[in-house]
Amino acid sequence: MSGGRTEPGFASELVEADGSSEATARVVDPAGTDDDRAAEAALRPRRLSEFPGQPRVRDQLGLVLEAARRRGGTPDHVLLSGPPGLGKTTLAMIVAAELERPLRLTSGPAIQHAGDLAAVLSSLDEGEVLFLDEIHRMSRSAEEMLYLAMEDFRVDVIVGKGPGATAIPLELPPFTVVGATTRAGLLPAPLRDRFGFTGHLDYYDTADLVTILHRSARLLGVEADDAGILEIAGRSRGTPRIANRLLRRVRDWAQVHGEGHVDLAAAHAALTLFDVDDAGLDRLDRAVLEALCRRFGGGPVGLSTLAVAVGEEADTVETVAEPYLVREGYIVRTPRGRAAAPRAWTHLGIEPPRSAPLQELLPLEEPGTAADGSGPGGASDANGRFGS
Ligand SMILES: Nc1ncnc2c1ncn2[C@@H]1O[C@H](COP(=O)(O)OP(=O)(O)OP(=O)(O)O)[C@@H](O)[C@H]1O
């Protein structure tokens, strides 16, 4: 998925789970590319008061930070979970800005040995905010060191090897960890328990995306009207990163073919050019639905058969297209394969066959376990509710 992270302080590349080129090329990929990172830096809200959406997390986090500020101490450690592109990194930066403390950024994949973490921890200054992105991807030995450091502000540095090895305790100044994860379920309970505040980020509604897009257009110096912005918001899959990326493509179109204004016509033309339909589905999403409904009569059909039908790897279909299609109730995963839900037929504008025996099928998994880490509520609408 994403390539190297260009933000200062990232010690290593973040590697996408699927690694497919199709995924990297998608304009609706929720994961960030290098291009996004460069453009996003300028669009990030800097303070909580500028952060639209996620009102619950924003208000709760605001309280935790304000209380710590008044006490003159460090706040509890903060865990932010949720799918990619919803603002976890942005909020981590905001935490440091609100506390007026420096921010240190690193990520789970960069911390493969306890020694890597010890090096980071022992160089922290008092009150510093340590952002650990993809915290679920840290090694077990580093996790264990982190528990102790978060709870007691201490690390045990092991000197020597074998039976003669000794642990020398090293006191650390108080600091705040902000952990981010797309897969909160993968975090071991002892690590999760060390976070005094946990915020789960949900997909944004259209009104919040409209606010975000108006702000981004202003920062990009692009004139944008309400209808154009609304059109982009509606196709952004609830994800600010995708919204900002689509805005940049519409801006490009408007600069080349129009007067430079982001309006309804420009949004429509640009997003058609980039194959994003009015529900935010792209070519791969639609190919999966077409194959499922037209070739396999709505399914159920096995993942690998479906993947062959759309000319993709099974892994790409499963990790790139499926999470959103399941979350939005287009398809259902069942023990016998993938099946089309009523929304798939409606979206394609075709009648489901009367014989589709889908009512008997049970969903394969509980809602919220999709590969994008989408939270509860997504797939549940699709579960078992088939057309009769
Ligand atoms: N609430 C928001 N308001 C305005 N812009 C936002 C908001 N949330 C996210 N963004 C924009 O989306 C981009 C992606 O956000 P961010 O990098 O914080 O997501 P993330 O959840 O950390 O993603 P990942 O899991 O891939 O690291 C940011 O650059 C920012 O411009």
Side-chain angles (χ1 to χ4, degrees), residues 326-330 332 341-343 367 377-386:
V326 170
R327 168 166 76 88
E328 292 298 310
Y330 290 97
V332 185
R343 195 171 179 193
S380 58
D381 292 339
N383 285 349
R385 300 200 191 144
F386 302 100

Side-chain angles (χ1 to χ4, degrees), residues 40 44-45 51-52 84-90 204 212 240-241 244:
E40 281 176 359
R44 286 185 196 285
F51 188 91
L86 299 193
K88 298 181 295 299
T89 307
T90 306
Y204 291 66
I212 290 169
R241 171 174 288 136
N244 283 337

Side-chain angles (χ1 to χ4, degrees), residues 1-2 5 7 10 14 16 30-32 36-37 39-45 50-54 58 81-94 131 133-134 180-182 201 204 208 211-213 215-216 239-244:
M1 108 186 168
S2 57
R5 228 167 159 153
E7 260 159 345
F10 266 88
L14 300 182
E16 192 78 0
D36 291 323
R37 305 272 177 219
E40 281 176 359
L43 300 180
R44 286 185 196 285
E50 298 170 12
F51 188 91
Q54 314 291 341
R58 200 186 50 214
S81 69
L86 299 193
K88 298 181 295 299
T89 307
T90 306
L91 280 174
M93 292 177 169
I94 288 175
F131 177 50
D133 200 7
E134 297 199 79
T181 180
T182 50
L201 305 195
Y204 291 66
D208 287 330
T211 308
I212 290 169
L213 282 164
R215 176 180 175 278
S216 298
T239 305
R241 171 174 288 136
I242 298 176
N244 283 337

Side-chain angles (χ1 to χ4, degrees), residues 144-234:
E144 282 166 10
M145 176 177 277
L146 187 61
Y147 308 158
L148 191 65
M150 289 169 74
E151 192 145 296
D152 297 341
F153 297 110
R154 172 170 74 83
V155 287
D156 286 334
V157 180
I158 310 292
V159 180
K161 281 195 171 158
T166 351
I168 302 182
L170 178 70
E171 297 297 322
L172 303 171
F175 61 94
T176 303
V177 174
V178 180
T181 180
T182 50
R183 312 291 299 272
L186 294 185
L187 278 191
L191 180 54
R192 256 197 331 255
D193 294 346
R194 277 8 183 235
F195 290 95
F197 173 76
T198 299
H200 179 78
L201 305 195
D202 285 320
Y203 290 97
Y204 291 66
D205 61 25
T206 303
D208 287 330
L209 289 174
V210 162
T211 308
I212 290 169
L213 282 164
H214 272 301
R215 176 180 175 278
S216 298
R218 224 175 24 253
L219 292 171
L220 291 171
V222 180
E223 263 186 56
D225 69 21
D226 290 348
I229 290 290
L230 187 62
E231 186 69 13
I232 300 171

Side-chain angles (χ1 to χ4, degrees), residues 102 118 121 133 138 167 176 200 241 262 314 320 331 341 362:
L121 292 173
D133 200 7
M138 248 178 3
T176 303
H200 179 78
R241 171 174 288 136
V262 168
V320 176
I331 65 176
L362 291 170

